[in-house]
């Protein structure tokens, strides 16, 4: 049974390894999130915004030309059609309503490529809340349009100049900012990472993805369960959402595509389960890439959204107990898969999502199989990377 | 008897604890710094174990951690440097570090080594109290290591009581809503918090840390506790020092006098 326990563990992974200064904040959240999320008032507002503001349900699209090419029935769950261009907004909508109910006045967030930062700045504008986003100095330079999008939306973008100046350091900075502002501030973590209850809370907000897949597939195929669900995993929020209602349905195979970077053994990779070992990162026990001495190693992926040295504890557990099939997709193969989908279906995917698409080449299936690929985001933000790549 | 208990049995006020980052400014600075801290009149030495992602620390200690790691420091190396240190250092020594590097080293092996070289206690800021009770308390006791937990202005009275019950070294009172090195000076609000905790009559001694940097803040903090901890301001003193021994002693004298 894949389920978080009372202490916040999925099997061996999870928990809340945080300095005492964060304990009151995290405890406040842990004590309240379930009751708030279960209330009718919350659900009405959350569901209402997902429908009218985000544009849900997102289509479950039968990709006929892709299906023909791969010899299976391939469906795409179109999270790329969400407002702001990716699944990230499902979570930020949920958390901002929660923050309001907790009486918080300010929002902080971390961002890597800027997608979660944009989704956070968006909902802060929607709710009229002050928003500060921490972003690695290096990411600010390479994701400039998203920085400006956040600013247009009224957010303050603070460069994280510590450590390697990327996503993991932006996360550290956001945690430090939370320590410095514990009373009036809510920290919207963007993935299924961090101390309990974040991984479970974020997964539940994202679980709308698999909730919709179930009834949409029932309408189209007469069955709720596909044979395979494929999603990319950085921290793993879109995968957690796409897998959530299938965790305990063993006949549905769950495939997680990690970023292989320049190759799993190249030293330039973000394939966490392939290269990582158990340890603690950003408040939870999980699998992470680290040195023998326990120092966190800087990952590499062409996709900024997958460029993270750990994975959410629930994914570490899926890996550990063999419930998930983990594959590593290299930069070049993800790019090729992104171009392929563009030509075959007229959809330019985010490079993160292109990793999930390429996994079709790495796993076994038969021609009658129904496969759902979670298309977590659109490729607009990656245009520059596609152009630089050039092979199209 | 553990040196920390001996210390607090004989000295109840103006206890000064100094934090330094192992492997900073030079890989081999560790022993020289420890000797100078003792000679300068401090009562406790906190050896910081560097980590790539120190979430509770401000820029000064982050930088010292990064430089120490670039210098090639590791727990293995720290224990090599500490071999035989008790021939020179008589005051209590505490190891302070984030959990991950220690977990990779192995918690039991780590405790065993601490005892072997002569370390008296541990401060592991991201080890939650319940996890400590469930998994490590017996281990700490087996190797004669006292433990210290942090509390902050946000910590509830109930939890402070629980922490007091499960601590046998001292309570580390984080002075404000902040990471290390965040601000100088002590506000009215902070004093209200110090007084509130003082009035709780905890069984453990209390040291105040974060934002303590000079004679004034040290004295002020000591009025409401058994003493204080200096970290970032000390790191600033050793950073760029041409003569560690002299600069450290001079700085410490300026604080305690």
């Amino acid at each position: 049974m894949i389920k978080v326990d009372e202490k916040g563990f999925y099997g061996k992974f999870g928990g809340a390894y945080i300095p005492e200064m964060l304990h009151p904040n995290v405890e406040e959240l842990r004590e309240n999130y379930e009751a708030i999320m279960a209330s009718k008032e919350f659900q009405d507002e959350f569901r209402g915004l997902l429908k009218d503001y985000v544009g849900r349900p997102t289509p479950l699209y039968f990709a006929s030309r892709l299906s023909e090419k791969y010899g299976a029935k391939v469906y795409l769950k179109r999270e790329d059609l969400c407002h702001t261009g990716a699944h990230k907004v499902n979570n930020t909508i949920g958390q901002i309503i929660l923050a309001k109910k907790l009486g918080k006045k300010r929002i902080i967030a971390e961002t890597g490529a800027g997608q979660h930062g944009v989704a956070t700045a968006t909902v802060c504008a929607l709710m009229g809340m002050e928003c500060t986003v921490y972003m690695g100095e290096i990411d600010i330079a390479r994701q400039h349009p998203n920085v400006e999008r956040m600013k247009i939306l009224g957010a303050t973008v603070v460069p994280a100049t510590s450590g390697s100046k990327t996503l993991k350091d932006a996360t550290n900075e956001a945690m430090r900012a939370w320590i410095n502002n514990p009373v009036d501030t809510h920290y919207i973590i963007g993935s299924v990472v961090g101390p309990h209850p974040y991984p479970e809370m974020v997964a539940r907000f994202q679980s709308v993805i698999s909730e919709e897949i179930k009834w949409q597939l029932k309408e189209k195929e007469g069955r709720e369960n596909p044979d395979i669900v494929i999603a990319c995993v950085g921290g793993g929020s879109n995968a957690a959402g796409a897998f959530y209602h299938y965790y305990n349905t063993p006949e549905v195979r769950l495939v997680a595509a990690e970023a292989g970077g320049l190759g799993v053994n190249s030293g330039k990779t973000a394939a966490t389960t392939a290269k990582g070992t158990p340890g603690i990162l950003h408040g939870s026990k999980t699998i992470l890439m680290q040195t023998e001495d326990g120092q966190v190693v800087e990952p590499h992926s062409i996709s900024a959204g997958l460029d993270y040295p750990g994975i959410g504890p629930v994914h570490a557990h899926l890996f550990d107990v063999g419930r998930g099939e983990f594959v590593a997709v290299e930069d070049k193969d993800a790019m090729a898969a992104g171009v392929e989908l563009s030509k075959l279906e007229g959809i330019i995917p985010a490079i993160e999502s292109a990793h999930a698409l390429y996994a079709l080449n790495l796993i076994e299936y038969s021609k009658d199989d129904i496969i759902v690929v979670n298309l977590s985001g659109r490729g607009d933000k990656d245009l520059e990377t596609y152009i630089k790549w050039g092979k199209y | 008897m553990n040196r920390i208990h001996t210390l607090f049995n004989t000295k109840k006020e103006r206890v000064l604890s100094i934090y330094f980052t192992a492997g900073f400014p030079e890989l081999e600075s560790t022993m020289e710094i420890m000797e100078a801290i003792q000679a300068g009149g401090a009562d406790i030495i906190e050896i910081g174990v560097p980590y790539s992602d120190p979430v509770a620390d401000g820029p000064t200690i982050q930088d010292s951690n990064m430089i120490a790691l670039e210098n090639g420091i590791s727990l293995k190396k720290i224990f090599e440097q500490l071999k035989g240190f008790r021939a020179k250092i008589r005051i209590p020594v505490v190891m302070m570090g984030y959990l991950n590097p220690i977990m990779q080293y192995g918690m039991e092996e780590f405790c065993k080594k601490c005892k072997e070289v002569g370390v008296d206690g541990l401060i592991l800021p991201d080890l939650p109290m319940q996890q400590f009770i469930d998994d490590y308390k017996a281990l700490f006791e087996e190797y004669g290591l006292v433990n210290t937990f942090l509390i902050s202005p946000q910590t509830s009275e109930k939890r402070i009581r629980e922490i007091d019950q499960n601590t046998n070294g001292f309570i580390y009172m984080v002075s404000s809503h902040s990471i290390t090195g965040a601000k100088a000076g002590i506000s009215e609000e902070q004093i209200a918090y110090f007084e509130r905790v003082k009035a709780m009559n905890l069984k453990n001694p209390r040291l105040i840390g974060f934002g303590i940097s000079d004679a004034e803040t040290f004295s002020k903090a000591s009025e409401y506790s058994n003493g204080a901890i200096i970290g970032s301001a000390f790191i600033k003193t050793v950073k760029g020092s041409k003569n560690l021994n002299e600069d450290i002693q001079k700085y410490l004298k300026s604080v305690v006098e």
Side-chain angles (χ1 to χ4, degrees), chain A residues 7 9 15-21 23-25 162-164 168-169 171-173 175-177 179-183 277-282 285 288 290-297, chain B residues 50-58 62 66 69 73-75 98-101 103-105 125-128 130-131 134 136 150-152 154-155 159 163 174 176-179 182 210:
Chain A
K7 290 178 177 173
F9 281 85
Y17 296 85
I18 45 168
E20 188 62 30
M21 296 83 93
H23 181 85
N25 303 37
S162 61
S164 49
K168 88 176 169 71
D169 308 282
T171 308
N172 293 337
E173 285 306 323
M175 285 190 169
R176 288 173 187 132
I179 290 174
N180 287 337
N181 301 283
V183 184
T277 49
I280 289 166
L281 180 67
H282 295 141
K285 190 179 280 182
L288 64 136
Q290 56 184 327
T291 66
E292 258 179 42
D293 299 325
Q295 308 301 340
V296 183
V297 168
Chain B
Y51 179 44
S52 54
D53 296 79
V55 288
D57 286 300
Q62 288 170 34
M66 286 294 280
L69 290 171
I73 200 70
S74 64
L75 255 180
Y98 292 87
L99 211 45
N100 196 50
M103 271 181 55
Q104 303 312 316
Y105 190 85
D126 56 348
L127 173 62
Q130 197 55 48
Q131 204 84 32
D134 295 347
Y136 300 131
L150 280 62
I151 63 170
S152 82
Q154 289 302 108
T155 311
R159 188 160 170 94
I163 284 172
V174 175
S176 64
H177 309 309
S178 75
I179 51 176
F210 290 38

Side-chain angles (χ1 to χ4, degrees), chain A residues 323-340:
Chain A
R323 176 68 186 95
E325 297 168 45
F326 285 71
V327 296
V329 176
E330 294 184 17
D331 288 353
K332 62 175 172 34
D333 296 329
M335 293 309 295
V339 172
E340 180 180 83

Side-chain angles (χ1 to χ4, degrees), chain B:
Chain B
M1 189 186 252
N2 187 289
R3 288 177 195 87
I4 291 175
H5 295 149
T6 310
L7 169 70
F8 285 108
N9 281 341
T10 52
K11 188 169 181 179
K12 311 267 185 217
E13 48 188 41
R14 291 178 65 82
V15 168
L16 176 62
S17 182
I18 296 293
Y19 165 96
F20 78 99
T21 303
F24 175 85
E26 305 293 335
L27 179 61
E28 299 295 345
S29 302
T30 306
M31 275 317 296
E32 188 182 357
I33 290 177
M34 287 173 71
E35 285 181 60
I37 292 173
Q38 175 172 271
D43 302 294
I44 301 173
I45 300 172
E46 283 177 30
I47 304 174
V49 180
Y51 179 44
S52 54
D53 296 79
V55 288
D57 286 300
T60 305
I61 293 179
Q62 288 170 34
D63 282 353
S64 68
N65 276 242
M66 286 294 280
I67 292 167
L69 290 171
E70 279 161 21
N71 288 344
I73 200 70
S74 64
L75 255 180
K76 211 169 134 199
K77 183 84 195 159
I78 292 172
F79 283 125
E80 277 169 27
Q81 293 174 340
L82 290 180
K83 210 172 274 173
F85 85 87
R86 279 296 171 201
K88 289 172 179 163
I89 305 292
R90 59 178 193 285
I91 62 176
V93 171
V94 172
M95 288 271 241
M96 180 163 188
Y98 292 87
L99 211 45
N100 196 50
I102 296 167
M103 271 181 55
Q104 303 312 316
Y105 190 85
M107 188 58 93
E108 172 139 29
E109 184 61 22
F110 173 73
C111 291
K112 198 171 140 196
K113 275 277 184 213
C114 282
K115 183 185 166 135
E116 215 173 277
V117 296
V119 167
D120 305 289
L122 302 176
I123 308 174
L124 310 177
D126 56 348
L127 173 62
M129 182 174 62
Q130 197 55 48
Q131 204 84 32
F132 165 74
I133 296 168
D134 295 347
D135 298 344
Y136 300 131
K137 198 172 179 178
L139 198 63
F140 280 32
E141 278 164 10
E142 186 185 338
Y143 291 101
L145 298 163
V146 303
N147 71 307
T148 281
F149 281 114
L150 280 62
I151 63 170
S152 82
Q154 289 302 108
T155 311
S156 68
E157 174 162 349
K158 179 167 170 271
R159 188 160 170 94
I160 294 176
R161 297 262 176 227
E162 283 170 13
I163 284 172
D164 191 39
Q165 276 310 311
N166 289 292
T167 298
N168 59 356
F170 56 89
I171 304 254
Y172 191 137
M173 285 180 65
V174 175
S175 69
S176 64
H177 309 309
S178 75
I179 51 176
T180 58
K183 53 191 129 185
I186 294 174
S187 69
E188 290 299 313
E189 193 190 348
Q190 286 172 280
I191 287 171
Y193 152 64
F194 298 162
E195 282 182 327
R196 175 167 61 85
V197 178
K198 189 179 178 184
M200 286 178 71
N201 290 315
L202 302 178
K203 74 177 172 79
N204 286 286
R206 290 158 287 118
L207 297 183
I208 294 174
F210 290 38
I212 311 301
S213 60
D214 53 16
E216 193 191 333
T217 44
F218 174 59
S219 293
K220 196 81 185 163
S222 295
E223 280 176 40
Y224 304 95
S225 66
N226 303 87
I229 301 161
I230 296 180
S232 298
F234 182 80
I235 297 294
K236 283 180 187 156
T237 304
V238 301
K239 188 177 181 178
S241 166
K242 298 269 184 292
N243 187 333
L244 279 174
N245 184 43
E246 195 178 302
D247 291 343
I248 289 171
Q249 291 204 45
K250 202 170 110 195
Y251 171 69
L252 291 181
K253 287 202 170 94
S254 79
V255 173
V256 293
E257 272 164 15

